[in-house]
Amino acid sequence: MRILVIGGGGREHALCWAIAKSPLCQALFCAPGNGGIAEVAECVPIAIDATDALVEFAIAREIDFVVVGPEGPLVSGLVDRLEAAGIAAFGPSAGAARLEGSKGYMKDICAANNIATAAYRRFSDADLACAWIDEQAKPMVVKADGLAAGKGVTVAASVEETKAAVRDILDAGRFGAAGAEVVVEELMEGEELSFFVLVDGTTAVPLTGAKDHKRAFDFDQGPNTGGMGAYSPASSLTPELEARIMAETINPTVAAMAAVGHPYKGVLYAGFMLTTEGPKLLEYNVRFGDPETQAILMRLRSDLLPALLASRDGTLAQLDLKWREGAAVTVVMAANGYPGDYEKGSQIKGLEMAGADHRVEIFHAGTNRTDTGLVATGGRVLNITALGSSIEAARARAYDAVGKINWPAGFCRSDIAAR
Ligand code: AMP
Ligand code: GLY
């Protein structure tokens, strides 16, 4: 098969790395890819939102199957466009991708199907929202309805901060059209868990659980980021909890989406808060997590490509995924200054030595190969991922590899997967 992966981050490097190993894969392309992806796929310089150009490329190069990484193209209907052109694609239709593309839509699906989630209201008028927040008289969580590059959520510390977040979105237009509406919801407390399933329209197959570290610095200090590291499995995900999440959240969602005429296909990434009343859904993402996927795919023993094809073809019930014993840990190396301003173009050395151990993979998130060698081009730059017999062993191996990388312009947290 001829495969095209859409995206250019660490998640897409991990997807390309896994797909390239499949005996079914004859040719692998990635748009736009990056300096690490170039080692396993032919990178094509087409932006992820250039829908027409992506469809034209897929037709011209006789692509059999497209795997879409990021949420943006899914929400704007890339899968629909490819399928209409006769090209099979992995991921949800635009209608199904609304589970991530509209927080209000996702909450309404939960409410209509008795899926446990934070109590909420939707607003497009700031005065009405603020009056309701005053009645609640406690700090709440405010979310821009649409996609906001991970920055659309405020977990407020006070009623005043809750109202300020609403005004910032609805009156000041901080997120433009993505903030034409807000969801204001109950602030939940507990431990967070990310849970991943593959879905084929009717059947959901659990992948596994993972946890990421969102804050920039050690001990969960500093600003929020896209994720500074991850590990899998998550100790909080017992078989009982997994069964409960499947029965009470995932399966009802899959049935509900089919019932409203938008059967869900692709990977569904559910974020949960493990509250004293049980697991409650925080959010759905309609794509693989980044950097959780880097850790998860290292643990997958089965060929990934048939699983992605089965999700698209509706044949997941026949799939039997095999996982490696043990654990995987991903440490993100980011450019100094991230998630604020950072320098681009700094030299990275030592990757060959760092990745020599066969239990270590260095996925690239923001690099480019130049005449003078490998340079950093993004905020999150490298994802050092290691397998081990336990979280502790995988963690030690990942940090050992980090220590061999010579990149003075980068930093990482030292407490990823530490308890
Ligand atoms: P989301 O994009 O919806 O996952 O929100 C980003 C982060 O905000 C989550 O990972 C949680 O840490 C936090 N968050 C979102 N919703 C809530 C909530 N209702 N209560 C507490 N924290 C929340
Ligand atoms: N690691 C968080 C995300 O992928 O959204």
Side-chain angles (χ1 to χ4, degrees), residues 230-319:
Y231 59 93
S232 175
S235 55
S236 50
L237 186 69
T238 59
E240 295 72 37
L241 180 59
E242 177 173 309
R244 181 168 178 191
I245 284 173
M246 289 300 291
E248 295 179 4
T249 305
I250 304 295
N251 290 334
T253 302
V254 172
M257 294 308 289
V260 295
H262 299 295
Y264 191 90
K265 292 185 176 194
V267 69
L268 188 58
Y269 158 175
F272 287 95
M273 190 70 91
L274 305 179
T275 73
T276 49
E277 295 161 33
K280 292 192 181 181
L281 189 65
L282 281 168
E283 62 161 344
Y284 274 133
N285 295 297
V286 298
R287 45 154 180 97
F288 280 104
D290 189 348
E292 294 95 319
T293 302
Q294 290 81 312
I296 288 170
L297 292 184
M298 282 283 275
R299 291 185 51 228
L300 183 64
R301 191 185 287 283
S302 306
D303 187 346
L304 175 69
L305 187 52
L308 302 181
L309 286 164
S311 159
R312 186 267 173 188
D313 291 342
T315 55
L316 274 181
Q318 294 149 41
L319 195 75

Side-chain angles (χ1 to χ4, degrees), residues 118-129:
Y120 74 106
R121 284 267 194 113
R122 301 175 72 167
F123 293 99
S124 51
D125 181 294
D127 292 333
L128 291 178

Side-chain angles (χ1 to χ4, degrees), residues 200-388:
D200 70 357
T202 50
T203 300
V205 173
L207 288 175
T208 184
K211 290 196 52 141
D212 71 344
H213 301 258
K214 290 236 165 60
R215 299 298 192 103
F217 309 128
D218 284 4
F219 312 115
D220 290 330
Q221 301 297 304
N224 260 317
T225 72
M228 293 299 292
Y231 59 93
S232 175
S235 55
S236 50
L237 186 69
T238 59
E240 295 72 37
L241 180 59
E242 177 173 309
R244 181 168 178 191
I245 284 173
M246 289 300 291
E248 295 179 4
T249 305
I250 304 295
N251 290 334
T253 302
V254 172
M257 294 308 289
V260 295
H262 299 295
Y264 191 90
K265 292 185 176 194
V267 69
L268 188 58
Y269 158 175
F272 287 95
M273 190 70 91
L274 305 179
T275 73
T276 49
E277 295 161 33
K280 292 192 181 181
L281 189 65
L282 281 168
E283 62 161 344
Y284 274 133
N285 295 297
V286 298
R287 45 154 180 97
F288 280 104
D290 189 348
E292 294 95 319
T293 302
Q294 290 81 312
I296 288 170
L297 292 184
M298 282 283 275
R299 291 185 51 228
L300 183 64
R301 191 185 287 283
S302 306
D303 187 346
L304 175 69
L305 187 52
L308 302 181
L309 286 164
S311 159
R312 186 267 173 188
D313 291 342
T315 55
L316 274 181
Q318 294 149 41
L319 195 75
D320 182 21
L321 286 180
K322 297 271 192 289
W323 298 89
R324 286 177 211 286
E325 296 291 314
V329 170
T330 297
V331 177
V332 171
M333 291 188 81
N336 291 337
Y338 174 82
D341 292 339
Y342 53 84
E343 187 196 329
K344 286 187 184 178
S346 55
Q347 295 262 345
I348 305 169
K349 295 202 171 90
L351 291 198
E352 225 159 90
M353 246 233 292
D357 187 324
H358 68 281
R359 292 158 297 186
V360 173
E361 289 297 332
I362 299 174
F363 298 117
H364 295 217
T367 68
N368 202 1
R369 286 204 188 276
T370 67
D371 296 342
T372 54
L374 191 71
V375 298
T377 58
R380 289 189 294 174
V381 172
L382 297 171
N383 306 153
I384 293 80
T385 305
L387 287 169

Side-chain angles (χ1 to χ4, degrees), residues 103 118 141 143 153 155 185-188 192 273 282-283:
K103 304 249 181 205
V141 178
K143 303 182 173 184
V153 177
V155 180
E185 64 182 43
E186 166 204 0
L187 201 161
M188 302 189 288
E192 286 187 45
M273 190 70 91
L282 281 168
E283 62 161 344

